[in-house]
Amino acid sequence: MIISTAAVFLAFTFFLLGFYQALRGEHLKISRRVEEVLGSPGLSFREQELKAPFRQRVVRPVFRKMFKLACVLIPAEKTAVLEEKLVRAGRPGGLSAGEYAVLKYFAAGAAGVFLCFLSGVARLEPVQTCLLSLPGILLGWHLPNFYLEARIRERAELIRRELPDVLDLLTVSVEAGLGFDGALLKVGEKKKSLLAEEFAQILREINMGKPRREALRDASRRIGVDEFSSFVGSLIVADRLGISMAGVLRAQSAQMREKRRQRAEERAMKAPVKMLFPMVFLIFPAVFLVLLGPAVIKISEVFTR
């Protein structure tokens, strides 16, 4: 009975699909062909709004309204510092300084409310609830800062790692006869990395009329890495004095590779010190337990007789 019912259901389903295809198939083919020739019809303003992600439609406007209320509590100096850190971190989530500050308030409040809820479930006293909520509020307040600092360190490390290879490509391009702007364009085409994106931003600013020196200085401030700042300073000096750009790039590339090798050696020298604590507190006790455990058992058996 079950098999026959399923067979009847599938047959009826396929019949409906075939009937729909027979009625609408030709119309769908014509519509598809018209879209291929003329292009898809433009969406209305409401359809474009509904097509945007939920964060852009709902979350971001709420954050902006909250930011207007929180502007009074955030000093201008603090806003400038936060803006600089967000730029160096790659502006995660497209947040501005005010939105990031609102996010910190929201994270602190959410952590405090969550711990209060847990305290209510555990039926703690009001004093215990307050003492438990205070560390949660502090953790929620500082957690975005930890994430932001980690993003800054990660981007700086990626840029330090990519810089020698990018400088090699720039050197080869300039020595092959390209101008500096053309070499930057070539790097943006051949590599997909943070430095390639920064070089593309430099080219866009230069094409919009900003002088090359100012565009390079702005990129140095955005990245905030000492090696890149040294590279930019060398380029600006070479541009002012009329020194060969290829020679400067070659010298900078060799210097960056030497610095990368020195950082690798420094990390290798730190490795034994970092391995000391796990060895003393984790590995050595296990080894002693395996080696001396049977002996301790034998000795205890001898003395207990």
Side-chain angles (χ1 to χ4, degrees):
M1 179 64 69
I2 295 175
I3 294 175
S4 60
T5 304
V8 170
F9 175 76
L10 290 175
F12 184 70
T13 303
F14 284 123
F15 172 76
L16 289 179
L17 289 175
F19 186 70
Y20 177 79
Q21 184 68 23
L23 290 178
R24 300 284 296 173
E26 192 65 25
H27 177 72
L28 292 176
K29 288 181 181 179
I30 295 173
S31 300
R32 213 174 290 123
R33 180 61 179 165
V34 169
E35 288 183 3
E36 290 177 359
V37 175
L38 301 178
S40 59
L43 299 176
S44 64
F45 182 73
R46 179 169 179 77
E47 290 175 342
Q48 291 177 0
E49 281 191 340
L50 294 176
K51 196 175 180 180
F54 179 78
R55 183 184 65 182
Q56 183 177 349
R57 288 186 289 114
V58 179
V59 179
R60 184 60 62 82
V62 172
F63 263 67
R64 284 172 181 164
K65 291 181 180 179
M66 294 174 66
F67 166 59
K68 292 178 181 179
L69 296 176
C71 279
V72 183
L73 305 176
I74 306 173
E77 296 82 4
K78 188 71 173 178
T79 304
V81 172
L82 283 178
E83 190 68 29
E84 181 180 355
K85 287 186 176 181
L86 287 170
V87 169
R88 291 175 59 187
R91 202 171 288 280
L95 295 175
S96 64
E99 292 170 348
Y100 175 78
V102 171
L103 179 63
K104 288 183 64 176
Y105 286 115
F106 178 77
V113 170
F114 178 71
L115 288 179
C116 285
F117 174 75
L118 291 182
S119 302
V121 172
R123 297 180 180 178
L124 299 179
E125 297 293 330
V127 177
Q128 295 175 338
T129 301
C130 293
L131 292 176
L132 183 63
S133 300
L134 183 60
I137 293 173
L138 293 176
L139 179 63
W141 176 260
H142 289 288
L143 195 60
N145 291 337
F146 296 152
Y147 173 74
L148 192 63
E149 294 294 335
R151 281 290 299 267
I152 292 174
R153 289 194 298 269
E154 181 183 358
R155 281 175 59 88
E157 184 62 28
L158 284 175
I159 288 172
R160 290 191 185 100
R161 195 181 308 159
E162 295 169 359
L163 191 55
D165 300 329
V166 171
L167 288 183
D168 287 340
L169 185 56
L170 277 175
T171 305
V172 171
S173 301
V174 171
E175 289 179 346
L178 290 175
F180 183 70
D181 296 346
L184 291 182
L185 181 61
K186 183 63 66 176
V187 170
E189 291 176 355
K190 295 296 181 181
K191 295 185 72 69
K192 302 298 181 184
S193 60
L194 293 176
L195 274 178
E197 294 176 1
E198 290 295 332
F199 287 158
Q201 178 66 23
I202 292 172
L203 281 177
R204 284 193 293 268
E205 292 178 355
I206 293 174
N207 293 332
M208 291 175 64
K210 180 180 287 188
R212 182 191 296 173
R213 298 172 188 175
E214 293 184 10
L216 289 172
R217 288 194 186 99
D218 292 343
S220 175
R221 283 192 290 268
R222 283 196 305 268
I223 293 177
V225 177
D226 295 337
E227 287 83 352
F228 189 81
S229 300
S230 174
F231 163 66
V232 168
S234 301
L235 290 181
I236 292 174
V237 172
D239 191 19
R240 281 181 179 175
L241 302 179
I243 303 173
S244 172
M245 195 68 71
V248 173
L249 290 173
R250 193 183 306 109
Q252 285 293 316
S253 176
Q255 183 180 359
M256 296 305 167
R257 288 191 178 279
E258 181 66 21
K259 286 185 178 180
R260 187 167 68 176
R261 185 181 64 82
Q262 291 174 356
R263 284 197 303 270
E265 291 177 353
E266 182 182 357
R267 290 181 180 177
M269 294 177 67
K270 289 181 179 179
V273 179
K274 293 180 179 179
M275 292 171 59
L276 181 63
F277 295 99
M279 289 180 63
V280 170
F281 294 105
L282 299 176
I283 298 176
F284 283 168
V287 173
F288 291 153
L289 184 62
V290 171
L291 295 179
L292 302 179
V296 171
I297 294 174
K298 291 293 184 181
I299 293 172
S300 63
E301 289 179 353
V302 169
F303 281 103
T304 52
R305 289 176 181 176

